[in-house]
Structure formats: C-alpha cells, structure tokens
C-alpha cells in the first residue's frame, strides 16, 4: 500500500495495516525497520516500526521514544495516528528540520495496534469488544441480554420499549433525543432503554444484562497497582496474564533507552498523565513538573489539555477525580519503567458540539439541551447520518420495540472518516513536539595537550542538550532503571592510560528542566572528564560519553607526538 496515495479517510484492517507498515520499511530501509514485539491471543503479530537514521549511531544508543495505539479494540483512531506518525517521520525527513533532528538523534518505536484481535472483530463485525477477545471470565456466553445486531443493519444500537413505568421519554425539542423522567413525573408516554441484543435463557419477564463475554481490559492488566477484578473490572486473572500487555512490558525491559512514551486512545480530547492510582503529592515534584510541562504541549498542538488521571479525570458528572485506575499502562510505564508517559484520548465530538471538555461522560449523562446540540452537530456535519432514527422492529423475544441511537463506532468512539486525517495530523505532531523534550548527551569540546614527549592530557566536555535529565525521571533513579552517564576512552594498540581510569562515571546529567528556582537554579552544568594518555607513535583515540536514555556521543582525536611530527 502506498501511503503517498492514501486519503486517510478510512480505518485499516489487520492485513492492510501490515501491508502499509511493510511498505514503509521497504521504501525507507535506511530509516526504518519492521519487526514483531510479540503475538496476540489469536497469534497475530504485534508490529513495531523502529525509526531512526541507522547511519548515525545504533538505535539502542539513542534516546527511545515509544508510541502505541489500539490498546482498546474499538479505539482504532490510535492505530491510524501511529501509522500517520510513522509516515510523516519518514516522508518528511528530508524537508522538516525538526523531524530530521529527531530521526537522526533519537529512536522511535511505533506500535500501531496492540489489541489486533479485538480491532479486527470491531472492523468486520457489529460487536464492540473492549480489548482482547479471549473469553473471560466465562468461556461461554452467559444468561441475560447479550449484544447482537437483531435488525441486521450492521450496527448494534439501542432498543426502546414502551413501558408505563419506564425511566425515559422522548424530548419535545428533538424526537431523536431521550430524556430522563423526573421523579414526580406521571401521565406521559415512557420507555425503558436496552442495548440492542438477544436474551439468552429468558424467562419471559426479567431482562437482565449479561456479563461481557470479552471482559478483559488489557489496559488494566499491567503490574502497576494491579487489583483483582472485583476491585478493577477487566484486570484479568493476574498481572501481565495477557500476551498483549506482556509483550509491551518485555519490550520496555529489553529497550532501556525508552525515556518517553505515548499511548493513543479515544475518546475525550484530553492528555492523561500519571498518577492513575495515587495523588500528585505522592509523585516526585520534579517528575510532576516535567509531566505537566511536557503534557501542556497537548494544548498547544492538539487543543487537548493535560490532566492527572487520579487528580482531575472525571468519569461521570457524579465522579470528579480521586478515583484510582489500577493496572494501567501509563502508570506502569512511569512507575516501573521510569519513563515520562501519557495516554492521549483523541477525538471529542461532544466537546465540538457543546463546547466543553466533558466527553468522557456516558451518553446517558448528557442533559437534554446537550443532546439536542449534539444532534444539531450531527445534522450540520454528517447530514444526520451519525444517528439511526428510531424505527419499529418486531423483536423475536420482546415483541414490538424501536431500534435507534448513535452509530457509536465512527461518530462517538472514533471520528467519522471525513475527520480522521485532522486527528492524525495534530496528534502525530504532538508526539514530535513531545519528543524534542527528551535528553540528548553531546560532546561540546574535545581537547588534547601534549604535556611531555608522547604524554597527553585528553579533556572532554559534555552536556545534556535536552529538557529532561539523562535519567528521564526521578522514578527511574529510584528504580535503578537508568544507568549513570559514563565517559569512556578507547585506545588502539600502542597507547595506554597512565593517569585515571578508562571509564569515568559522571552520574546523571540535568537538562533544562532543572534550570530554575524550583530545583536549585543556576546554569545547566557542563561536565569535564580527562585522561593522561601515553602514545609513542601517532594513534587515533575515541571518546564516548552517554547512557541509554540520554544517548551516546562519540568523537575521535589524533595523537601525534611532536617528535614524530618533527621527523
């Protein structure tokens, strides 16, 4: 698939995605390599594109920038943002100075689709699985109302059933909108609302919701404050029980250079940061400052504010903050891997329609006027096609019902295809701008003085040119996930170190984050290392400074004894 000719107005199935990724790796072999980081439950490869200029340093010796999408099966926009990001990095490398700098000096790890099994079901069937489609906690479909496309229109919508004791009525402002019945309201036409589906082993009276047959949530399966399912629904039987989350953890462990991570989800229009299960006061003040300042790039670039999951993220109008989420990826990436980590919830149709950022509420939480505004947006932008108007249907069990509601998949949960590219563009740029904050070790001076015949004082000055320190986070130092910066001199045969040691440990190097009153002030530090070297004949020595997260810089210098030069 040639992405140059792609209109970015549709969502790719697994084989199409694989073809697109392979096409990028074959088109840009000097900058891109494609490989699998693991297998899904149904044995699909979890593809990764490793993007860096291979001619300028090893990928493992540059700061690592990790980005993934489609942790949740239905959040396919995240996959397309990752694909677009990879395409932009590669196709604009020669013309965009920022991207060229990043691709030369950092390594991108782009993992577009984690829950590939669930995404394939989502894109090919009416169902809306959460993430993995491994049946859990039950092997078989359970008794009760199970989602099913009973009218065969390709969408699992809602059913409303006339009920004199129902909790809903039709809005007088828009017949598509359902309004909650007031506690003292009587004398009207009322309805009970169910999800579209069939009732297994129905007794002819009770309609109870069946447990989700795909109850796993890969983004609750990480070993960061993990809790059992009764505390955190979807968490799975034990941490990293699922191959998708386990593959991510193993990838981080084998790539200690990863210093910054971004996961793309839908939908809310917000950049989420740690902590997820703890308050801001329990984070390192320096890490919290970095998380907030880097996260603020989301507002500048994508129009998405940055909020702490535990502190600020409201899951409904009745729950504002202070609700822990256990076992989530961004918490594990921060707490265990010591990386600066975000989960960006892209797309925000309700916010576009209503003008406020509360779109993480359920649709049942919107007021009548807000729902009317959403329908107006639907009419103006989609010609009304985003909503299925309520229509009569003879349900095989419930009898006369009306089926209707939002086309949730590609209106609420993901942007309609006509809006997909703009989501891809702004969020791809978001990660580029975030990537520029990563640490970067550079040798700024390399000097040699011959202090005696064949004896040299070799001096190297290095500094961190990035915003973040070379450890990335205080958490990484605490966990010992970031090795200290070292300066190493490599000598050929005929030269030896006679003063000092070959390896000099510098420690962690601060970046621009630490320049300021909050963390001691002063000028960003330069670091001096020196060796006394003896060489009886002309030789070339190499000096290497860095660590995995800050990257390594290497410079060479020629030692020519004066006696040899004069001869």
């Amino acid at each position: 698939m040639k992405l140059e000719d792609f209109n970015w107005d549709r969502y790719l199935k697994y084989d199409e995605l694989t073809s697109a990724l392979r096409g990028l790796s074959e088109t840009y072999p000097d900058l891109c390599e494609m490989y699998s980081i693991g297998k899904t439950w149904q044995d699909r490869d979890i593809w990764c594109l490793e993007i860096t200029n291979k001619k300028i340093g090893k990928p493992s010796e540059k700061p690592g920038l990790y980005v993934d999408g489609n942790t949740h099966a239905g959040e396919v926009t995240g996959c397309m943002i990752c694909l677009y990001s990879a395409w932009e990095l590669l196709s604009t490398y020669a013309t965009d100075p920022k991207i060229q700098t990043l691709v030369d000096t950092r390594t991108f790890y782009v993992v577009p689709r984690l829950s590939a099994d669930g995404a394939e079901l989502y894109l090919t069937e009416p169902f809306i699985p959460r993430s993995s489609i491994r049946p859990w906690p039950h092997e078989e479909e359970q008794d009760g109302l199970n989602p099913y496309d009973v009218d065969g229109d390709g969408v699992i919508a809602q059913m409303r059933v006339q009920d004199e004791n129902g909790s809903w009525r039709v809005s007088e402002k828009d017949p598509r909108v359902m309004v909650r019945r007031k506690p003292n309201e009587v004398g009207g036409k009322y309805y009970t609302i169910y999800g579209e589906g069939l009732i297994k082993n129905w007794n002819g009276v009770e309609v109870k919701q069946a447990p989700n047959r795909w109850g796993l949530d890969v983004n609750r399966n990480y070993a960061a404050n993990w809790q059992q399912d009764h505390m955190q629904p979807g968490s799975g039987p034990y941490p990293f029980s699922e191959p998708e989350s386990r593959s991510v953890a193993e990838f981080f462990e084998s790539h200690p250079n990863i210093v910054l991570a971004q996961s793309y989800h839908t939908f809310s229009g917000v950049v989420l940061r740690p902590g997820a299960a703890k308050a801001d006061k329990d984070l390192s003040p320096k890490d919290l400052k970095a998380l907030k300042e880097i996260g603020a790039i989301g507002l500048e670039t994508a129009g998405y504010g940055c909020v702490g999951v535990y502190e600020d993220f409201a899951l409904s109008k009745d729950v504002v903050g202070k609700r822990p989420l256990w076992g989530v990826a961004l918490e594990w990436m921060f707490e265990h891997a010591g990386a600066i980590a975000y989960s960006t919830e892209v797309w925000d149709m309700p916010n576009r329609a209503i003008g406020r950022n509360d779109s993480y509420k359920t649709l049942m939480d919107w007021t009548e006027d807000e729902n009317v505004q959403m329908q107006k947006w639907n009419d103006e932008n989609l010609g009304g096609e985003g909503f299925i108007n309520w229509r009569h249907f003879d349900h095989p069990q419930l009898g006369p019902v009306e089926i209707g509601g939002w086309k949730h998949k590609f209106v609420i949960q993901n942007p309609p295809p006509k809006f997909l590219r703009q989501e891809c563009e702004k969020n791809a740029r978001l990660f580029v701008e975030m990537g520029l904050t990563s640490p970067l070790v550079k040798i700024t001076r390399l000097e040699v003085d011959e202090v005696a015949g064949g004896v040299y004082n070799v001096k190297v000055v290095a500094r961190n040119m990035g915003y973040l320190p070379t450890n990335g986070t205080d958490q990484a130092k605490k966990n010992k996930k970031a090795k200290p910066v070292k300066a190493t001199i490599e000598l050929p045969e005929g030269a030896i170190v006679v003063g000092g040691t070959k390896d000099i440990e510098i420690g962690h190097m601060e970046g621009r984050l630490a320049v300021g009153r909050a963390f001691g002030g002063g000028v960003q530090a330069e670091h001096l290392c020196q060796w006394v070297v003896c060489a009886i004949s002309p030789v070339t020595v190499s000096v290497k400074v860095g660590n995995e997260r800050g990257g390594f810089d290497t410079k060479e210098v020629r030692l020519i004894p004066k006696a040899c030069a004069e001869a």
Side-chain angles (χ1 to χ4, degrees), residues 294-485:
I294 297 174
I297 295 171
L299 189 60
E300 300 169 7
T301 307
Y304 296 158
C306 179
V307 301
V309 176
Y310 180 79
E311 292 283 345
D312 308 305
F313 193 49
L315 296 180
S316 78
K317 66 182 180 183
D318 300 319
V319 181
V320 180
K322 308 301 184 288
R323 183 192 186 282
L325 291 180
W326 291 288
V328 298
L330 94 161
E331 195 91 309
W332 183 87
M333 291 171 183
F334 173 71
E335 285 202 353
H336 288 237
I340 292 288
Y342 300 94
S343 288
T344 297
E345 299 276 348
V346 308
W347 184 237
D348 54 350
M349 186 280 270
N351 186 42
R352 289 169 180 242
I354 295 166
R356 79 164 192 252
N357 195 10
D358 283 339
S359 50
Y360 33 80
K361 299 192 306 185
T362 67
L363 292 178
M364 296 299 190
D365 287 328
W366 296 101
T367 66
E368 178 178 10
D369 286 342
E370 289 169 341
N371 272 287
V372 169
Q373 285 179 270
M374 289 168 66
Q375 291 292 357
K376 181 180 178 183
W377 183 93
N378 170 41
D379 292 338
E380 292 174 349
N381 291 275
L382 305 177
E385 292 299 313
F387 191 92
I388 300 169
N389 294 331
W390 298 100
R391 57 178 182 252
H392 174 83
F393 184 78
D394 289 321
H395 191 276
Q397 295 165 311
L398 298 175
V401 303
E402 290 177 81
I403 295 179
W406 289 100
K407 293 180 180 177
H408 181 81
K409 285 187 177 184
F410 301 111
V411 177
I412 305 296
Q413 190 171 24
N414 296 282
K418 66 183 286 187
F419 294 112
L420 176 57
R421 180 164 189 150
Q422 65 180 238
E423 286 299 307
C424 291
E425 287 176 344
K426 68 183 182 181
N427 285 289
R429 180 52 57 171
L430 166 61
F431 194 60
V432 165
E433 299 297 331
M434 284 184 166
L436 290 165
T437 70
S438 55
L440 188 66
V441 174
K442 284 293 181 185
I443 296 173
T444 56
R445 279 184 286 159
L446 179 57
E447 300 174 353
V448 174
D449 294 317
E450 188 172 5
V451 295
V455 179
Y456 302 86
N457 191 13
V458 179
K459 297 181 181 180
V460 64
V461 177
R463 75 186 304 181
N464 173 13
M465 306 301 290
Y467 166 82
L468 288 171
T470 54
N471 48 292
T473 62
D474 283 349
Q475 186 69 21
K477 282 199 294 186
K478 178 182 176 181
N479 290 356
K480 301 189 185 306
K481 289 293 185 181
K483 294 179 181 179
V485 174

Side-chain angles (χ1 to χ4, degrees), residues 37-79:
I37 70 167
K39 296 277 191 177
T40 65
W41 180 67
Q42 289 187 328
D43 207 38
R44 289 183 173 88
D45 282 299
I46 302 172
W47 295 119
C48 175
L49 285 186
E50 181 181 279
I51 298 174
T52 190
N53 187 340
K54 301 176 190 177
K55 295 179 179 179
I56 305 177
K58 298 178 182 178
S60 61
E61 294 191 348
K62 301 177 185 180
L65 308 175
Y66 172 89
V67 57
D68 68 34
N70 231 157
T71 292
H72 291 129
E75 297 172 4
V76 288
T77 308
C79 171

